Amino acid sequence: MKSIQMKFVLFIVVYIALILLVSCSNQLTSMTNKEVKYLIGVSQPNLIEPWRVVMNDEIKQYADTYSDLRVIFTDGGNDSKQQEEDLYKLMGFGIDILIVSLDDPILLTPTIAKIYSKIPVIVLGRGVTGYDYTLYIGTDNRLIGSKAAEYAKQLLGTEDNRIVEILGLQGSPTVEERSEGFREALLDRPDIAITQSIYADWQRDKSEDELTSSLETETDIDLIFAHNDAMALGASLALKNKGLSGVKIIGVDGVKGENGGLNLVKDGTLIGTFTSPTGGGEAIRYALDILNKEKGIPKKIILRSHQITGGNINVYEEMQSSAQRKPIRLITEAEPIKIGFAQVGVEGGWRLAHTNSVITAAKEEGIELLYENAFLQQDKQIEIIRKFIASKVDFIVFSPVVKTGWDEVLQEAKLAGIPVILSDREVKVSDDSLWTSYIGSDFVEEGRRSARWLIQEMKDVTEPVNIVELQGTKGSDPAVGRKQGFEEIINNELDYSIVQSLQGDFTIETGKQLMLEALANYGSDIDVVYSHNDDMALGAVEAIEQYGLKPGKDIKIISIDATRAALKALGIGKLSFVVECNPLLGPQLMKAVKDYMAGKELPMKIITSEGVFTQETAKRALATWEY
Ligand code: AHR
């Protein structure tokens, strides 16, 4: 009896213990689930460069502010094969999103494309080619190169100047862009020669070794431009070992830390550097937006680079300290944010959608919008901007009719302390601090995407391919970019030729008139029309029908914009392929305006994410298409 009692007590104890254990482990599981909502993988190509250490620190610091995020970091040890293995290892851990900075972007692009087919991918710092990634965050490398050249020109005398350029990894797009920007900007100075180009793979030690061996035969150097501060430091060590002084060294990166560019400028090792923000904090912020399926995620975020010299380093550091970032002014119902919006024109359906998006978004955010239209005239647009300056608006927003000719009026806006946001089109001015931010498309990429589709579509055609190009407004950003991107791809194909490139203005009327002209010249020899926008493409459809041919069948038509009218025409086969250019920029614009007023630094460029359409996908998209 006693033993039965004992057994019963034992049973009860074990039972209670089991219940406690199960409930405890459930709690643990639910706690773990609650704790780790998202697992983020961060793959670095190396951690030798101080810039990458700072990037990881920023990622960690920002991620630590969220209790439900976990981040796993890997270090590729400067070896693309190792980085590829790391990437698959991270996938094996079940990461929800990948943040990657690439060792060799050319080698690793296919791996990134594979991962992107499974999870979102944010590429930091060094871009991949194509469109197979979720978001790119980086700087404008061509601009950094050209700013470095402008600085070098100021520093050098007027006779017989010799520069050594120390580049990162050969073949990397970042390196090509920095170098091209640098060289192009030196073209107007025949007294400056780049006497040597040394590839040092972004590494301090390699830079030191390579320069040391080159100094054995040549020591006549006035200035060194190194593509990053680590290599700039390596160069300075080589010069020091050789006992050479007086060579000015310009670097790129400008990060904090013992061997970071800011310290190197302070201690005089570098004469100057150009900041290349790592984008670590932005990467986490956007990773969360992507994982939480927020709308309006951009395709590219381009961060602004600042020139740092001994003369401005203290001001720069003060500006960077968060304590200094204060809201611009108090916003009340009586005194809401006031924007002056100088729209470019009323060319067609796309522009109407753009105008409506800005007006509606301002209304929704309680922002006062002064709206005026320049009807495609630059003089008128300048006059409107001057009017807004006189009205002391908080912001000026405009879509420039052409790229050039804005220096003076933007200088006036700057003097009046009014920030300028470029909505949908960029300008070309001598000083990029004349505008605060650009929000819109990547027109060059739109041109490339059009050409890539054409080459794929015509891959079995053995005859030469004759193309007619209908260009948008002369000198406008979209016309220049779309032409450039299309030609960049087409020029590699021997059998493709643009038989006629005609100057239009984005309207349906010119599209029709120019197409009639092309048909009169080339008739049915035309295989393809590449139109810089939908309105001109729809005009071309009318012209081709009038001529007695079938648009989309006898002549393929590629267009850009993706308005409803164009998607309908594509759905019934009158157009062949449409690349999206998103006009619904109002919400992102208002967000930028509010961020700026709250004291945040805006990215230099926010590039929208855009799709492409074939006949099938166009039909499906039409059901919900907004413009
Ligand atoms: O700047 C964007 C372009 O301007 C659109 O593609 C075109 O339709 C508009 O006129």
Side-chain angles (χ1 to χ4, degrees):
M1 189 64 192
K2 214 176 171 188
S3 88
I4 290 175
Q5 268 177 347
M6 280 292 287
K7 272 185 190 162
F8 183 71
V9 170
L10 200 69
F11 172 77
I12 295 290
V13 169
V14 170
Y15 183 73
I16 291 171
L18 269 175
I19 286 178
L20 277 174
L21 200 73
V22 168
S23 92
C24 224
S25 90
N26 277 348
Q27 242 177 15
L28 266 178
T29 323
S30 77
M31 256 176 67
T32 320
N33 284 342
K34 199 172 146 218
E35 270 178 14
V36 185
K37 187 170 173 197
Y38 296 126
L39 189 58
I40 299 181
V42 176
S43 163
Q44 287 284 5
N46 69 68
L47 283 176
I48 309 168
E49 299 164 56
W51 186 75
R52 304 201 163 278
V53 177
V54 172
M55 187 192 280
N56 275 5
D57 284 350
E58 282 178 13
I59 290 175
K60 199 169 165 336
Q61 203 183 331
Y62 210 86
D64 281 352
T65 58
Y66 298 90
S67 57
D68 52 0
L69 280 191
R70 286 291 173 278
V71 186
I72 313 175
F73 293 90
T74 59
D75 168 6
N78 230 5
D79 172 359
S80 290
K81 269 263 142 274
Q82 176 61 52
Q83 189 171 25
E84 192 177 11
E85 274 174 34
D86 291 347
L87 290 168
Y88 287 117
K89 219 179 273 167
L90 287 172
M91 289 299 282
F93 290 145
I95 55 170
D96 298 294
I97 189 165
L98 171 69
I99 297 175
V100 60
S101 189
L102 298 163
D103 184 51
D104 184 333
I106 315 255
L107 278 178
L108 290 167
T109 290
T111 310
I112 297 301
K114 256 188 239 161
I115 295 177
Y116 173 64
S117 68
K118 299 194 170 75
I119 57 167
V121 177
I122 297 180
V123 181
L124 275 187
R126 296 176 195 166
V128 292
T129 44
Y131 220 68
D132 288 338
Y133 58 92
T134 313
L135 169 67
Y136 167 78
I137 303 176
T139 41
D140 185 334
N141 291 305
R142 192 175 291 275
L143 186 67
I144 287 184
S146 80
K147 281 179 161 198
E150 292 305 332
Y151 185 38
K153 289 195 274 190
Q154 283 169 27
L155 292 169
L156 294 169
T158 49
E159 268 167 42
D160 191 20
N161 292 298
R162 300 165 72 84
I163 295 183
V164 169
E165 185 184 10
I166 303 187
L167 305 92
L169 193 75
Q170 191 156 20
S172 140
T174 307
V175 170
E176 278 165 17
E177 286 160 18
R178 283 186 189 171
S179 188
E180 279 164 15
F182 186 67
R183 283 156 192 265
E184 263 167 37
L186 290 180
L187 287 178
D188 60 352
R189 284 285 297 269
D191 59 297
I192 300 178
I194 300 180
T195 51
Q196 259 200 87
S197 301
I198 297 174
Y199 285 95
D201 304 349
W202 308 108
Q203 304 302 314
R204 182 192 68 183
D205 294 350
K206 188 160 182 195
S207 167
E208 182 181 349
D209 295 348
E210 296 284 322
L211 188 62
T212 301
S213 71
S214 114
L215 289 173
E216 278 164 23
T217 50
E218 181 58 78
T219 54
D220 187 5
I221 305 171
D222 298 294
L223 187 141
I224 292 175
F225 169 49
H227 285 204
N228 75 356
D229 293 333
M231 296 189 296
L233 174 58
S236 82
L237 296 173
L239 293 171
K240 203 167 162 195
N241 293 340
K242 191 78 184 168
L244 290 173
S245 58
V247 180
K248 299 176 172 74
I249 308 176
I250 302 175
V252 178
D253 279 351
V255 295
K256 291 182 194 158
E258 199 192 333
N259 283 334
L262 295 181
N263 270 350
L264 297 176
V265 171
K266 261 189 211 157
D267 71 16
T269 307
L270 308 186
I271 185 103
T273 186
F274 289 84
T275 62
S276 171
T278 71
E282 284 83 356
I284 293 295
R285 190 152 54 84
Y286 279 105
L288 285 173
D289 285 354
I290 292 166
L291 291 167
N292 291 331
K293 307 225 174 326
E294 298 278 336
K295 277 191 181 165
I297 304 291
K299 191 70 187 175
K300 286 186 184 170
I301 292 287
I302 307 297
L303 303 166
R304 193 174 281 276
S305 167
H306 297 277
Q307 178 176 341
I308 309 294
T309 62
N312 72 357
I313 189 157
N314 293 337
V315 180
Y316 175 77
E317 285 188 325
E318 258 174 49
M319 259 171 50
Q320 291 303 300
S321 74
S322 53
Q324 294 294 316
R325 297 204 192 129
K326 295 197 184 91
I328 304 292
R329 73 166 170 85
L330 194 67
I331 303 177
T332 60
E333 245 178 74
E335 275 196 283
I337 302 173
K338 199 196 263 186
I339 299 178
F341 175 35
Q343 181 56 294
V344 56
V346 284
E347 315 93 277
W350 190 97
R351 186 58 59 193
L352 192 67
H354 177 237
T355 306
N356 287 341
S357 170
V358 174
I359 293 175
T360 312
K363 207 178 273 170
E364 279 173 9
E365 295 295 339
I367 290 173
E368 188 181 336
L369 190 83
L370 310 181
Y371 165 73
E372 300 234 13
N373 202 303
F375 300 103
L376 296 185
Q377 293 161 43
Q378 184 170 31
D379 288 356
K380 177 117 182 85
Q381 209 166 18
I382 291 177
E383 199 182 291
I384 298 170
I385 294 173
R386 290 211 165 107
K387 212 157 105 187
F388 291 150
I389 297 174
S391 314
K392 296 193 169 51
V393 292
D394 292 306
F395 284 91
I396 289 170
V397 173
F398 80 117
S399 301
V401 57
V402 289
K403 286 185 87 162
T404 53
W406 303 100
D407 292 74
E408 203 181 320
V409 72
L410 293 188
Q411 193 67 50
E412 290 166 28
K414 190 176 174 182
L415 277 176
I418 302 176
V420 171
I421 298 188
L422 306 169
S423 174
D424 137 58
R425 293 180 180 186
E426 287 191 55
V427 291
K428 193 168 182 237
V429 283
S430 55
D431 170 6
D432 64 56
S433 76
L434 294 181
W435 51 276
T436 301
S437 195
Y438 163 75
I439 305 175
S441 309
D442 181 342
F443 298 126
V444 178
E445 191 59 30
E446 288 172 353
R448 290 190 194 117
R449 296 179 95 186
S450 304
R452 285 193 202 112
W453 174 82
L454 181 63
I455 289 165
Q456 184 59 26
E457 176 72 6
M458 302 297 246
K459 65 179 186 305
D460 298 328
V461 175
T462 48
E463 308 281 295
V465 178
N466 295 329
I467 305 165
V468 165
E469 180 182 28
L470 303 179
Q471 293 186 43
T473 309
K474 192 173 172 26
S476 69
D477 191 22
V480 174
R482 287 168 186 168
K483 184 169 186 47
Q484 183 193 323
F486 188 77
E487 284 178 352
E488 186 184 304
I489 305 290
I490 290 294
N491 287 347
N492 297 326
E493 305 295 313
L494 287 180
D495 283 343
Y496 287 62
S497 47
I498 300 178
V499 290
Q500 197 159 18
S501 183
L502 296 157
Q503 193 68 66
D505 64 358
F506 290 121
T507 63
I508 197 159
E509 296 77 21
T510 54
K512 182 170 180 182
Q513 179 205 320
L514 295 175
M515 193 61 215
L516 284 172
E517 192 183 321
L519 285 161
N521 291 335
Y522 294 95
S524 56
D525 285 345
I526 301 169
D527 302 300
V528 181
V529 171
Y530 168 51
S531 169
H532 284 193
N533 86 335
D534 286 348
D535 288 277
M536 290 192 299
L538 295 172
V541 166
E542 285 180 22
I544 294 168
E545 283 174 340
Q546 192 173 310
Y547 189 80
L549 292 174
K550 288 200 170 65
K553 291 197 179 58
D554 298 325
I555 300 179
K556 291 188 191 300
I557 306 179
I558 304 169
S559 176
I560 301 176
D561 273 357
T563 55
R564 283 189 73 83
L567 292 186
K568 272 189 196 153
L570 178 58
I572 55 171
K574 291 193 178 192
L575 296 182
S576 316
F577 185 67
V578 173
V579 177
E580 184 190 1
C581 173
N582 188 352
L584 307 178
L585 304 174
Q588 291 195 49
L589 173 63
M590 300 311 149
K591 184 179 180 306
V593 160
K594 282 166 59 188
D595 281 353
Y596 185 90
M597 291 305 275
K600 292 187 191 159
E601 183 177 14
L602 297 184
M604 186 178 195
K605 297 182 194 176
I606 301 171
I607 309 288
T608 41
S609 180
E610 296 168 337
V612 290
F613 295 94
T614 56
Q615 192 166 359
E616 276 320 300
T617 53
K619 280 192 219 159
R620 260 179 276 139
L622 268 170
T624 54
W625 206 240
E626 284 184 65
Y627 64 96

